[in-house]
Amino acid sequence: MDVTKLPIDIDAMLAGLRPWVECESPTWDAARIGAMMDVAARDLALIGARIERIGGRMGFGDCVRATFATGDTSKPGILILGHLDTVHPVGTLAKLPWRREGDKCYGPGIFDMKAGNYIAVEAVRQLLRAGAAIHLPITFLFTCDEEVGSPSTRDLIEAEAARHKYVLVPEPARPDGGVVTGRYAIARFNLEAAGRPSHAGARLSEGRSAIRIMADMIPQIESMTTSDCTFSVGVIHGGQWVNCVSSSCSGEALSMAKKQEDLDHGVERMLALSKDNRNDGQFIVTRGVTRPVWEPNAKTMALYETAKGIARQLGLELSHQSSGGGSDGNFTGPMDLATLDGLGVRGSGAHTLDEHIIVDSLAERTRLMAGILLAVK
């Protein structure tokens, strides 16, 4: 089958994508995640998927697994792995409404990664409608907590991936339209500062501010950044009353490295920052969620070559790279599975109020995805 001839209607795709984007689904809002899973599950059910709802845990929302009995169901098949949570809180639509301006379409989570997930659904829809000969069964796994490191779903992702031969991750394409064949390692850290409370007006000198302890540590943490391993503090919470010297302050830090050994060394340095001096306050660092480094194996590179050939049929040159910014491919890539990431749409502004996609890439990436689904055996 010639995927260049798939009758893709961009206006219809945008109409179908809009409910996904306008269903706001921040990671920490389990109810909104559930509503988003409902939207995706309905679209998948309409094209013939068998839907399973997997209950959430650890305070996170549900996940959806959708299976298509295509090809030889006795063989390990194709897993399409995506997340439906976003970093945008409910109410972001008021600041970043769905809108199309020329060749750009805007909305919270549209680029990372609702449009990517949607083009994967559209690719399957197109192939089933055309009666195409898909060799392997296809499964979608849509998860709820990728934006915070997948703490409640890593085991589910790894268990599901182990039952498949190929893993396709429609995270955003690289700026040049390329795909991802590896990811850097990422570690998260929980930061806790404990001070000594006092009345800020009458007894200021008797207190030791936890906020000040945290503030003093932030430059120390971020100054550890090198070309091999980066450190950043992205979340801070502290204090309750302005007239009280704060007794507690919490935060979160992130470290990223291209090599696992560099991240391991970075973890050691972070944990060594903990100190417990009762007179001068406490600062405690504990390790949070970690994504292992994913280095491409021969299976991944063979899958990339398949995708590259399909892209050429579409008139595209498809580059590949290892990339920062973790994904759930960090878990499947090291499992000796063929994993190809960055298969989503082109765009920019992920995690910002300028988040958008390039509309023309909807058809381009749908055809690429469809070609891969047809080619692998």
Side-chain angles (χ1 to χ4, degrees), residues 194-218:
R196 185 172 59 252
S198 69
H199 192 295
R203 296 287 188 269
L204 179 62
S205 63
E206 296 177 6
R208 178 69 168 105
S209 168
I211 293 174
R212 177 59 186 267
I213 293 170
M214 183 70 72
D216 288 344
M217 293 304 299
I218 291 172

Side-chain angles (χ1 to χ4, degrees), residues 55-131:
R57 65 191 185 98
M58 297 169 61
F60 293 101
D62 294 349
C63 298
V64 162
R65 177 167 48 210
T67 53
F68 294 87
T70 51
D72 186 346
T73 56
S74 68
K75 293 182 177 179
I78 307 161
L79 176 63
I80 298 174
L81 178 60
H83 67 89
L84 290 175
D85 61 314
T86 80
V87 301
H88 300 286
V90 171
T92 302
L93 272 171
K95 301 175 182 177
L96 179 60
W98 169 278
R99 69 189 190 280
R100 180 177 180 178
E101 295 179 358
D103 196 35
K104 296 179 180 178
C105 189
Y106 294 79
I110 191 171
F111 182 49
D112 183 16
M113 60 179 287
K114 291 185 179 182
N117 291 327
Y118 191 81
I119 64 102
V121 175
E122 179 66 16
V124 174
R125 179 189 290 115
Q126 291 278 346
L127 293 177
L128 294 176
R129 183 183 297 162

Side-chain angles (χ1 to χ4, degrees), residues 131-149:
I134 303 170
H135 302 289
L136 296 174
I138 298 171
T139 298
F140 283 79
L141 180 62
F142 285 148
T143 61
C144 61
D145 62 349
E146 189 274 346
E147 293 292 4
V148 294

Side-chain angles (χ1 to χ4, degrees), residues 29-358:
D29 193 327
R32 298 308 305 159
I33 290 288
M36 182 64 243
M37 293 293 169
D38 289 342
V39 172
R42 187 178 191 279
D43 280 357
L44 286 159
L46 285 173
I47 60 173
R50 181 169 67 88
I51 305 296
E52 298 172 78
R53 191 71 166 248
I54 302 168
R57 65 191 185 98
M58 297 169 61
F60 293 101
D62 294 349
C63 298
V64 162
R65 177 167 48 210
T67 53
F68 294 87
T70 51
D72 186 346
T73 56
S74 68
K75 293 182 177 179
I78 307 161
L79 176 63
I80 298 174
L81 178 60
H83 67 89
L84 290 175
D85 61 314
T86 80
V87 301
H88 300 286
V90 171
T92 302
L93 272 171
K95 301 175 182 177
L96 179 60
W98 169 278
R99 69 189 190 280
R100 180 177 180 178
E101 295 179 358
D103 196 35
K104 296 179 180 178
C105 189
Y106 294 79
I110 191 171
F111 182 49
D112 183 16
M113 60 179 287
K114 291 185 179 182
N117 291 327
Y118 191 81
I119 64 102
V121 175
E122 179 66 16
V124 174
R125 179 189 290 115
Q126 291 278 346
L127 293 177
L128 294 176
R129 183 183 297 162
I134 303 170
H135 302 289
L136 296 174
I138 298 171
T139 298
F140 283 79
L141 180 62
F142 285 148
T143 61
C144 61
D145 62 349
E146 189 274 346
E147 293 292 4
V148 294
S150 308
S152 77
T153 57
R154 178 176 178 173
D155 57 350
L156 176 64
I157 291 163
E158 292 177 337
E160 190 63 42
R163 294 188 279 269
H164 292 79
K165 186 175 182 180
Y166 301 99
V167 180
L168 306 179
V169 187
E171 287 273 5
R174 300 302 88 188
D176 67 351
V179 293
V180 174
T181 51
R183 292 273 186 181
Y184 304 161
I186 295 177
R188 295 171 183 248
F189 301 91
N190 302 311
L191 314 175
E192 294 290 338
R196 185 172 59 252
S198 69
H199 192 295
R203 296 287 188 269
L204 179 62
S205 63
E206 296 177 6
R208 178 69 168 105
S209 168
I211 293 174
R212 177 59 186 267
I213 293 170
M214 183 70 72
D216 288 344
M217 293 304 299
I218 291 172
Q220 188 172 338
I221 291 169
E222 297 193 339
S223 69
M224 295 193 303
T225 292
T226 67
S227 59
D228 296 321
C229 190
T230 63
F231 299 85
S232 61
V233 178
V235 176
I236 293 292
H237 300 285
Q240 286 184 299
W241 305 97
V242 72
N243 59 345
C244 295
V245 172
S246 60
S247 60
S248 64
C249 184
S250 63
E252 294 178 60
L254 185 77
S255 181
M256 184 172 67
K258 297 179 181 180
K259 297 179 180 179
Q260 190 66 48
E261 56 264 35
D262 291 330
L263 187 76
D264 292 343
H265 179 57
V267 169
E268 292 177 5
R269 295 181 70 190
M270 279 293 297
L271 296 179
L273 294 176
S274 294
K275 61 181 181 179
D276 186 359
N277 184 329
R278 292 294 174 177
N279 292 325
D280 197 41
Q282 293 175 280
F283 185 74
I284 306 298
V285 181
T286 56
R287 190 169 179 173
V289 176
T290 301
R291 292 189 186 275
V293 68
W294 163 30
E295 296 181 0
N297 58 23
K299 294 176 182 177
T300 287
M301 294 312 298
L303 179 57
Y304 162 68
E305 290 297 332
T306 297
K308 185 178 178 181
I310 294 162
R312 283 179 176 163
Q313 296 174 28
L314 299 172
L316 306 170
E317 285 299 321
L318 193 68
S319 66
H320 76 97
Q321 63 175 258
S322 288
S323 176
S327 85
D328 289 330
N330 281 85
F331 302 138
T332 66
M335 292 176 65
D336 196 33
L337 294 170
T339 298
L340 195 58
D341 197 345
L343 287 165
V345 298
R346 291 182 289 113
S348 188
H351 297 192
T352 76
L353 295 178
D354 188 49
E355 185 164 348
H356 64 271
I357 63 169
I358 304 301

